[in-house]
Amino acid sequence: MLKEIKKIDKMSHNKKIKIDMKKEERTKLMSFFTSNLSGRVRNFELPATKALMPLYESIVNSIYAIDERQQKENTLNGRIMVHIVREPQQYIQTDGIDGSINDITGFIIIDNGIGFNDANMKSFLQLDSTYRIEKGGKGVGRFTWLKAFRKAKIESCFENGDQWVKRSFDFMLGQDEINDSLIKIDELKDNKTVVILEDCLSPYKDKLPKGGDNVATKIMQHCFIYLMSPTCPEIIVVDDINQQTYNINQMFRNSIQEESNLIEFEIKNEKFFLRHAKIMDSSFDASKLYLYANDRMVQEINIEKYIVDLDKNLFLENGYYYAGVLSGEFLDKNVGTNRTSFMIPNIAENDLEIGMNDIILKTSEEIKVYLSEYLKEVKKKKKERIAKYIKTIAPQYRHLLNYMEEDIESIKPSLSEIKLDDELHKIKRKFEKQLKEENEKILKTLEVGAVNL
């Protein structure tokens, strides 16, 4: 897009470097950009529950920018700083005690990556950029910025040939044009790109986490794949008002015990890869499966819903939750354009297709193998507990132990006695219904036989 940069007046450090672009090319590009941007953002699907997606996209963009620079400078120590921006201090009175509420309104993301050079700027101005397509990029990450925030401000300082330059602009709906000119600046010690996500909009603002620790934990969960790499940049989250700092890499090292080997399995000739990990962090609250596409976390699944004997007791007894990271070409090919969901039906329509249910059930079987020792013991204790409860408190369910064994096994292990009794009562009703249906079949058979005599 940019043909060349004109020579700089050496007497001025702040004179603009004008960009000599073919007029026809620039007019066509900017016209396309401005005429379609509002519509694309309006039609872009971003659920309110994905309020942190714009932040994730910015962090991943920073990781890619650092990786691009590391290709040329392999000794570079990549660094990403995330500053949490909150509303001015507010006070509330509760039972005579003063408390403070500071909602998050935005984020500032700073990295020392390659910067908004000509190639990256051209990619940014194209609505459907394919610049990072080999990394799974769909060129839509910045749409999440304008979907959830009023404005994004960008300032990028980097070396351009033998001089240091700065490119800065605002990105928002309704603007006529982005000024993509460069300004010469004094030499810096390092590249610096700043992205400010400003004024979070409703309904996303209400869905943002309140605590900086929660933001940091969510970033760690989303960036699993990158944090597993030894070349992952250092990611620091700073909550300035509360004077708290969170080192995401250190949190990952402290909280995660990952297996070195990937588990490979197939579903209808499609290969999937599963990495097991143990999370020694109570804030995760449940054992989960993370579905990735093109190295980005797309969907989070509470795997406890699919593995009956898996629940919070895993953490209470063993000190960890399970986390699985699932990836594969099938997921890469079937991720939605917005990267917040998969274009995979829950139930396959025929034997040749793969449904999400197929993926989760098959993955669950692999997880059961990994946790087999723990699950075997849980199952044994559960069976003993239910048998004791029936024998000593609820003998009316005694026959279920013999005739409804599979249903008994489907009961979650840590239910209270009241909920356990509710589950047994449901199984009893199911048994009585089945018994009634069987009796009706027998009677019909006898009636037919009597007629034929």
Side-chain angles (χ1 to χ4, degrees):
M1 173 179 126
L2 305 177
K3 187 176 180 181
E4 62 177 348
I5 298 179
K6 292 185 176 181
K7 294 183 178 179
I8 303 300
D9 183 350
K10 295 183 180 180
M11 299 299 294
S12 173
H13 287 299
N14 296 318
K15 187 174 181 180
K16 283 189 177 181
I17 303 173
K18 296 181 179 178
I19 301 174
D20 185 13
M21 182 197 305
K22 291 180 181 179
K23 185 177 181 181
E24 181 181 349
E25 180 184 358
R26 178 179 177 83
T27 301
K28 180 179 179 182
L29 180 61
M30 293 309 303
S31 175
F32 179 74
F33 186 88
T34 56
S35 64
N36 289 276
L37 180 60
S38 295
R40 288 297 298 273
V41 172
R42 182 175 60 252
N43 296 325
F44 189 85
E45 294 185 7
L46 182 65
T49 54
K50 302 278 188 178
L52 283 175
M53 185 59 69
L55 174 61
Y56 300 153
E57 291 289 339
S58 297
I59 293 173
V60 172
N61 286 342
S62 292
I63 292 173
Y64 286 162
I66 290 171
D67 179 68
E68 187 176 346
R69 188 179 171 197
Q70 285 175 331
Q71 302 303 315
K72 303 175 182 179
E73 307 172 41
N74 55 19
T75 59
L76 173 71
N77 292 319
R79 183 177 175 85
I80 301 170
M81 298 289 295
V82 178
H83 290 266
I84 297 174
V85 180
R86 295 182 180 273
E87 288 182 338
Q89 192 80 8
Q90 300 178 32
Y91 291 95
I92 57 174
Q93 192 82 11
T94 305
D95 298 329
I97 301 175
D98 283 334
S100 62
I101 300 176
N102 300 90
D103 289 336
I104 295 174
T105 62
F107 301 96
I108 301 172
I109 303 94
I110 306 170
D111 70 64
N112 63 340
I114 197 72
F116 265 74
N117 56 23
D118 295 352
N120 283 320
M121 192 65 210
K122 178 180 179 180
S123 171
F124 187 89
L125 291 174
Q126 292 176 325
L127 285 184
D128 293 291
S129 171
T130 58
Y131 182 57
R132 291 195 174 115
I133 195 169
E134 75 284 352
K135 295 180 180 289
K138 293 181 178 291
V140 297
R142 63 206 183 286
F143 296 156
T144 67
W145 296 354
L146 300 189
K147 190 74 175 182
F149 292 85
R150 183 179 64 84
K151 179 168 63 174
K153 291 184 175 181
I154 294 92
E155 180 176 291
S156 186
C157 302
F158 55 93
E159 282 190 278
N160 189 69
D162 58 352
Q163 60 192 10
W164 282 85
V165 295
K166 178 175 74 174
R167 172 176 271 134
S168 57
F169 58 91
D170 290 348
F171 182 52
M172 59 192 298
L173 295 179
Q175 62 187 13
D176 294 328
E177 186 173 309
I178 288 179
N179 179 11
D180 54 355
S181 59
L182 298 174
I183 296 176
K184 182 181 178 183
I185 60 174
D186 292 329
E187 182 177 343
L188 300 178
K189 293 182 179 180
D190 200 1
N191 288 10
K192 182 179 181 181
T193 294
V194 181
V195 174
I196 303 176
L197 302 179
E198 197 171 272
D199 294 340
C200 191
L201 304 171
S202 179
Y204 304 101
K205 183 179 177 182
D206 296 334
K207 297 297 183 178
L208 289 174
K210 301 299 182 183
D213 56 339
N214 290 333
V215 173
T217 298
K218 294 291 185 181
I219 292 173
M220 181 177 70
Q221 292 176 345
H222 187 84
C223 294
F224 254 73
I225 291 288
Y226 304 105
L227 291 164
M228 289 177 179
S229 170
T231 61
C232 180
E234 184 179 39
I235 306 174
I236 306 293
V237 175
V238 181
D239 197 347
D240 291 308
I241 288 182
N242 298 327
Q243 297 181 336
Q244 293 289 328
T245 299
Y246 307 91
N247 186 311
I248 304 300
N249 311 68
Q250 191 61 50
M251 287 173 58
F252 180 81
R253 289 190 290 268
N254 291 344
S255 302
I256 306 297
Q257 179 184 328
E258 60 177 299
E259 298 294 332
S260 58
N261 297 323
L262 285 172
I263 303 300
E264 180 181 332
F265 59 88
E266 288 190 7
I267 303 176
K268 299 178 183 178
N269 297 321
E270 290 283 354
K271 290 185 178 180
F272 291 84
F273 301 92
L274 176 64
R275 187 183 296 278
H276 301 298
K278 297 176 181 178
I279 306 177
M280 283 72 76
D281 187 338
S282 61
S283 65
F284 276 69
D285 197 43
S287 293
K288 296 176 182 178
L289 175 66
Y290 299 95
L291 274 60
Y292 274 69
N294 301 302
D295 290 339
R296 300 193 187 202
M297 199 269 282
V298 177
Q299 187 171 347
E300 174 187 305
I301 295 171
N302 186 341
I303 202 64
E304 293 176 1
K305 295 180 179 180
Y306 298 89
I307 301 178
V308 65
D309 291 325
L310 186 62
D311 60 14
K312 288 181 172 57
N313 273 345
L314 178 63
F315 184 85
L316 296 176
E317 296 178 9
N318 293 42
Y320 69 86
Y321 286 112
Y322 170 85
V325 177
L326 187 69
S327 59
E329 187 177 354
F330 181 81
L331 296 176
D332 294 343
K333 291 186 298 185
N334 288 281
V335 66
T337 302
N338 56 12
R339 288 199 293 257
T340 61
S341 61
F342 288 100
M343 299 180 295
I344 302 172
N346 287 331
I347 305 295
E349 294 183 0
N350 55 62
D351 292 338
L352 298 177
E353 291 186 355
I354 297 176
M356 187 58 73
N357 193 54
D358 298 321
I359 295 173
I360 297 175
L361 291 180
K362 176 60 178 176
T363 307
S364 297
E365 293 303 315
E366 296 293 335
I367 296 172
K368 288 179 184 178
V369 173
Y370 177 71
L371 297 173
S372 59
E373 290 189 16
Y374 169 78
L375 294 175
K376 182 179 179 181
E377 187 65 21
V378 171
K379 183 177 180 179
K380 177 184 175 183
K381 290 181 179 179
K382 179 181 71 174
K383 188 174 181 180
E384 291 173 351
R385 180 199 174 204
I386 293 175
K388 182 179 180 181
Y389 175 78
I390 291 174
K391 180 180 180 180
T392 59
I393 299 176
Q396 66 271 27
Y397 302 127
R398 189 185 303 274
H399 59 291
L400 301 181
L401 294 173
N402 294 324
Y403 297 105
M404 302 295 283
E405 188 173 354
E406 288 188 6
D407 293 85
I408 294 292
E409 289 180 355
S410 69
I411 296 176
K412 294 295 283 185
S414 302
L415 298 180
S416 65
E417 283 197 355
I418 293 176
K419 290 185 177 181
L420 173 59
D421 194 88
D422 287 342
E423 292 300 314
L424 289 170
H425 184 67
K426 290 177 185 178
I427 296 173
K428 181 174 180 288
R429 290 180 61 187
K430 180 180 177 181
F431 172 77
E432 290 170 349
K433 182 181 178 181
Q434 290 177 352
L435 186 61
K436 181 180 178 181
E437 290 173 351
E438 289 295 324
N439 288 337
E440 288 175 351
K441 288 181 181 179
I442 293 172
L443 288 174
K444 286 182 180 180
T445 301
L446 293 174
E447 289 174 359
V448 171
V451 170
N452 292 332
L453 287 176

